[in-house]
Structures are given as C-alpha cells and as structure tokens.
C-alpha cells in the first residue's frame, strides 16, 4: 500500500480504533429497564396476557455515541484519501477497511435513530449491519419446529461414566479462570487478561476494550460443573479467542509491522457480524455435548415475524405456541417466548408498531452453525471471527492453511488433568 502521508494515516487509524472501542452494538440496543420489563411481562404472560413492554434507553450514553459521527467521518476522509492500493492484497485490504468503517458508522446511526425514536431508520441500519434471514434459513427454522425434524444426531465427546464424573465436579470463578489460563497457555497465546467481575452477567471474550487490552470476563458468582467447564474452554478459548487471534495475526502479516495502519488490526479482525464466529463455537458445543447443544430455531423465527411488522406481543405469542407444540412446559414456553422476542426487538422504541424493526444479530447462531458444519474449506474456521465474505476475498491473496494458532484440542488437554 502506498501511503503518501503516513503520519496522517496513523493519526486517522488511531482515531478510528479509539472510536470503535466505544461502539458496542449490544450495549446500544439494551434497554435500561430490560430486567424490570421482563419481570412484568412474565407475570402477565403466566396469566395468559401477552403485553407489549415499554422500553427506555440510556439516552446520555446514546447521545455520546451519536456525537462521534463527525469525528468518525473526518477520520475516514483522512484515512481513505491517503491509501493508494498497489496490488490485489492492497485492494482487498481497502475493501475490508471500508466495510469496517461503514459498519461503525451504521452503529452510530443506529444510536441516533433510537434517540429519535425512529424505528424505521433503526431497521435500515440493523439490516445493513447484520442482514436478515433469507428464505432458505427461514424454511430450515420452521422445519425444526416440527416433531421429528432435527439438524442431525450427534454423540457427545465423553462416554456416560466420564460425563457423570465431570458433572460431579464444581468450579468457582477463580478456578474457571485458572483452567482458562491453562488452555490459553497451552496454545502459547499472549496478551490476554482474565477479569473476574462482580457486575458481569455472562462469560464474555472481549477483543476490543477501552484500555486496549483484550480480556475474558467471568462473573464473580459463576459456578460450573466439570462438563460445562470443558464446553466453555472449547467455545470461548478454542473458538472465540483463538479465531480472533488468528485473524489479528493474519492482518498484521498482510499490513506489515511498520505500517501506520496497524492500529486498525483489532477492528479488522473482529467485525460486529458474528455469524461465522458463533457458528464455529456452536459446532464446538455440538462436538462436545452432542445433539443437546444444537442451535434452536426460535431466534430466526422471531426475527422473521418482527420483520413482517408484528408487535412484540404477537411475535411472543407465536413463539410461545411453537414451544408448546414441541412439548415444552408452560413455564419454559413463556420464558422462551420472552427471550426470543426480546432479543429480536431490543433496540425498538415502539413495541406495538416496530415498523419491521429487528435486531438481526441472533439468527446467526442457527445460520452460522449450518455454514460452519457444511463449510468445504474447513481451515477457514481457524479465522471464524471474520465474515464469510472476508474469507472469500482474502483467500485470493493470503495463505489461510497455516494459522498462527492451529487447533490443538485444549479440551482434551484440560480434561486429562481433571479425570
């Protein structure tokens, strides 16, 4: 890449990286009153009333995000005006850089739309970021709501006696951290910290953080049995963390260590679209736990129903009936209806008339699993933090057969020390 003004590009790249660290799309669409509305909704639904919740958002936070637009656009101008591709690799890098900038801009526009209570505009930008389930994916999801239809039969990794022994073990947050560290060290991966956080609600692999250091967050109250511990190592370490590190190293190699574009590596290595990312991790869950870990169809169906301009109550009622038809208990069906509908409609401001809005991220679990399962170029899963289109582009100019951190089966490595 010919860069006539490297100091300008470095400053713009650094600004771009700093901005994107603040753009967590899930945080943008999470209502402040989600827990309170959930409790009210579940209490009413248990009495047979499916209501439309009223969501409120962190408007000060959204305003701060919205105000980043001018800074982002200025940095984009400075960056793109000073990048002159010289070969195919440069052209592909420029395409991916531009895609990531557009994605960041869409996150800011989404925050602005929520501030303005403009669900139609929110719909446009969530569709731009995550797409929508296509006809084939919707048909597959609907097929899976019928008795006898599955994604296949998969046997768990460990036999009955081994699973029983593992289920009898208990690990607190500190012990989970120690075994995560053992798996990370087994791969020789450096630069990640593990944080035990009393405010966290779920284990989370965070590639981009405010202080620039990637970390794994573990809720301080989290306790798991041995079987779940090993599943988490496969999902969080061998897939999410390893995929991200392989993608980051790939971009470091393509960009060059002395390039002013280096601050962009975290942005390039982990887009918001997590279809491949979650698909690979779900494939690991199924390998480990068998058919019980297969993705469910309800997120996809809830999103499809939302796009068809149904209200929150109408979407939830449909999911509820589907779950009952699959012999879920009344209590489980009500909880499942809330979960799928909430995840499809978080970010909406008018739950009675969402204007076809849906937060399109979560259909990627089912769609991503199908892609990962059927992917002909299995080595691409070593870089599954990237989008499929990114890998298709990069395969034309980059070596993808030799990732920095090839698969080494850390699950079995840790299991050998537990049993």
């Amino acid at each position: 890449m010919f860069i006539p003004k490297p100091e300008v590009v470095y400053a713009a790249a650094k600004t771009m990286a700093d901005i994107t660290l603040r753009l967590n799309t899930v945080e943008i669409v999470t209502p402040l009153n989600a827990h309170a509305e959930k409790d009210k909704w579940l209490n009413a639904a248990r009495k047979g009333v499916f209501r439309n919740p009223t969501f409120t958002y962190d408007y000060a936070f959204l305003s701060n995000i919205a105000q980043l637009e001018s800074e982002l656009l200025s940095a984009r101008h400075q960056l793109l005006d000073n990048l002159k591709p010289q070969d195919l690799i440069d052209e592909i890098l420029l395409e991916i850089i531009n895609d990531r900038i557009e994605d960041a801009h869409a996150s800011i526009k989404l925050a602005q739309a929520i501030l303005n209570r403009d669900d139609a505009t929110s719909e446009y930008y969530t569709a731009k970021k995550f797409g929508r389930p296509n006809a084939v994916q919707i048909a597959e999801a609907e097929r899976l709501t019928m008795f006898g239809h599955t994604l296949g039969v998969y046997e768990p990794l460990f036999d009955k006696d081994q699973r029983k022994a593992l289920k009898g073990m208990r690990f607190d947050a500190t012990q989970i951290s120690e075994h995560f560290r053992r798996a990370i060290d087994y791969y020789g991966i450096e630069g990640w910290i593990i944080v035990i956080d009393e405010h966290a609600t779920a284990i989370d692999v965070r590639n981009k953080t405010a202080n620039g250091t990637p970390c794994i967050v573990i809720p301080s109250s989290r306790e798991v049995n041995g079987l779940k511990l090993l599943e988490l190592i496969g999902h969080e370490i061998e897939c999410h963390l390893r995929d991200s590190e392989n993608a980051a190293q790939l971009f470091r190699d393509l960009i060059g260590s002395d390039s002013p574009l280096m601050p962009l590596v975290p942005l390039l290595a982990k887009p918001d679209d997590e279809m491949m990312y979650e698909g690979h991790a779900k494939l690991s869950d199924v390998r480990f736990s068998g058919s019980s870990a297969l993705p469910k169809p309800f997120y996809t169906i809830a999103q499809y129903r939302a796009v068809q301009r149904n209200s929150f109550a109408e979407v939830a009622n449909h999911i509820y009936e589907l779950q009952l038809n699959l012999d879920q208990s009344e209590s489980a069906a009500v909880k499942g209806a809330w979960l799928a509908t909430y995840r499809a409609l978080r970010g909406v401001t008018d739950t009675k008339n969402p204007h076809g809005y849906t937060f399109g991220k979560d259909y990627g679990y089912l769609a991503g699993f199908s892609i990962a399962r059927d992917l002909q170029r299995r080595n691409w899963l070593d870089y599954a933090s990237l989008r499929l289109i990114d890998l298709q582009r990069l395969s034309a100019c980059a070596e993808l057969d030799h990732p920095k951190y090839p698969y080494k089966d850390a699950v079995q490595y840790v299991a050998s020390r537990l049993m």
Side-chain angles (χ1 to χ4, degrees):
M1 187 83 69
F2 176 60
I3 302 176
K5 297 179 179 178
E7 68 287 349
V8 172
V9 167
Y10 178 81
K14 186 69 168 57
T15 297
M16 193 74 64
D18 291 342
I19 290 172
T20 56
L21 288 177
R22 296 178 247 174
L23 299 179
N24 185 313
T25 313
V26 172
E27 289 182 356
I28 289 171
V29 301
T30 298
L32 280 177
N33 62 340
H35 292 300
E37 283 298 301
K38 175 183 177 181
D39 290 342
K40 289 192 290 186
W41 192 93
L42 289 176
N43 288 334
R46 291 185 185 110
K47 299 173 184 176
V49 178
F50 287 75
R51 55 186 288 273
N52 292 304
T54 300
F55 291 142
T56 59
Y57 296 89
D58 187 339
Y59 297 113
F61 168 71
L62 293 176
S63 180
N64 288 336
I65 296 297
Q67 291 172 22
L68 294 172
E69 183 177 23
S70 61
E71 189 178 5
L72 177 79
L73 295 180
S74 176
R76 178 178 68 179
H77 173 74
Q78 295 293 325
L79 186 73
L80 297 183
D81 280 2
N82 286 285
L83 298 181
K84 312 298 181 185
Q86 303 296 293
D87 53 26
L88 179 61
I89 293 176
D90 290 349
E91 290 174 1
I92 290 171
L93 281 174
L94 190 56
E95 288 179 355
I96 295 174
I97 289 169
N98 195 57
D99 283 353
R100 299 293 192 269
I101 296 171
E102 288 298 312
D103 191 46
H105 191 206
S107 294
I108 293 172
K109 299 301 287 187
L110 174 60
Q112 292 174 348
I114 296 172
L115 273 173
N116 294 330
R117 302 183 63 84
D118 183 353
D119 293 328
T121 299
S122 293
E123 154 63 15
Y124 173 81
Y125 284 107
T126 57
K128 187 173 183 178
K129 286 181 67 65
F130 300 111
R132 293 290 180 261
N134 61 36
V136 172
Q137 292 161 343
I138 294 164
E140 180 175 53
E142 291 180 335
R143 178 179 63 82
L144 293 172
T145 65
M146 304 174 188
F147 273 117
H149 291 272
T150 70
L151 289 166
V153 178
Y154 298 85
E155 294 298 323
L157 180 62
F158 297 108
D159 63 33
K160 183 178 179 180
D161 290 339
Q162 290 172 320
R163 293 174 69 81
K164 182 179 179 180
L166 287 166
K167 285 182 178 180
M169 301 176 186
R170 290 292 180 271
F171 300 90
D172 62 18
T174 299
Q175 293 167 314
I176 295 169
S177 172
E178 291 169 354
H179 287 294
F180 276 14
R181 176 57 61 192
R182 178 171 284 114
I184 294 169
D185 290 346
Y186 181 59
Y187 273 103
I189 296 173
E190 299 178 348
W192 286 76
I193 62 173
I194 301 176
V195 177
I196 297 175
D197 186 349
E198 63 180 9
H199 300 295
T201 59
I203 293 174
D204 190 17
V205 175
R206 299 179 181 175
N207 307 70
K208 294 177 283 188
T209 62
N211 64 11
T213 301
C215 70
I216 303 172
V217 176
I218 302 173
S220 59
S221 60
R222 187 68 187 270
E223 294 183 358
V224 299
N225 64 37
L227 200 61
K228 185 62 177 179
L229 171 68
L230 294 177
E231 181 180 309
L232 286 169
I233 287 171
H235 187 109
E236 308 291 354
I237 308 302
E238 295 210 277
C239 292
H240 286 345
L241 188 151
R242 188 175 66 88
D243 295 347
S244 298
E245 278 296 303
N246 282 333
Q249 187 60 50
L250 175 64
F251 281 111
R252 290 187 196 106
D253 292 341
L254 291 175
I255 289 172
S257 60
D258 59 347
S259 171
L261 293 173
M262 282 298 286
L264 293 179
V265 166
L267 174 63
L268 297 175
K270 180 63 175 61
D272 279 358
D273 183 338
E274 295 182 343
M275 190 175 294
M276 288 283 289
Y277 187 71
E278 294 296 353
H280 187 206
K282 182 52 69 175
L283 194 65
S284 171
D285 294 347
V286 170
R287 169 186 173 265
F288 181 80
S289 297
S291 299
S292 65
L294 285 166
K296 303 298 188 291
F298 303 113
Y299 291 164
T300 302
I301 292 173
Q303 289 184 2
Y304 172 64
R305 287 275 167 164
V307 169
Q308 300 304 306
R309 306 180 76 86
N310 287 284
S311 70
F312 190 107
E314 291 167 335
V315 174
N317 188 65
H318 183 70
I319 299 298
Y320 168 77
E321 291 177 350
L322 289 177
Q323 298 217 15
L324 284 182
N325 290 339
L326 291 175
D327 275 351
Q328 290 282 353
S329 69
E330 178 83 15
S331 176
V334 168
K335 289 178 181 177
W338 165 268
L339 179 62
T341 309
Y342 165 74
R343 290 180 72 106
L345 283 169
R346 52 187 165 165
V348 76
T349 59
D350 183 357
T351 58
K352 295 179 183 178
N353 181 23
H355 295 281
Y357 170 90
T358 187
F359 185 61
K361 178 176 177 289
D362 292 332
Y363 80 94
Y365 288 98
L366 177 57
F369 172 79
S370 298
I371 292 170
R373 177 196 59 192
D374 300 335
L375 193 63
Q376 296 299 311
R377 301 185 183 185
R378 304 293 289 181
N379 58 303
W380 285 11
L381 292 178
D382 290 314
Y383 307 92
S385 66
L386 301 176
R387 301 175 305 163
L388 186 59
I389 190 173
D390 296 332
L391 291 164
Q392 290 167 338
R393 289 167 172 168
L394 290 166
S395 66
C397 64
E399 173 58 69
L400 300 179
D401 290 328
H402 303 288
K404 172 73 171 178
Y405 302 104
Y407 176 71
K408 294 173 59 175
D409 202 350
V411 167
Q412 289 283 17
Y413 172 73
V414 174
S416 68
R417 281 148 179 79
L418 299 181
M419 295 188 293

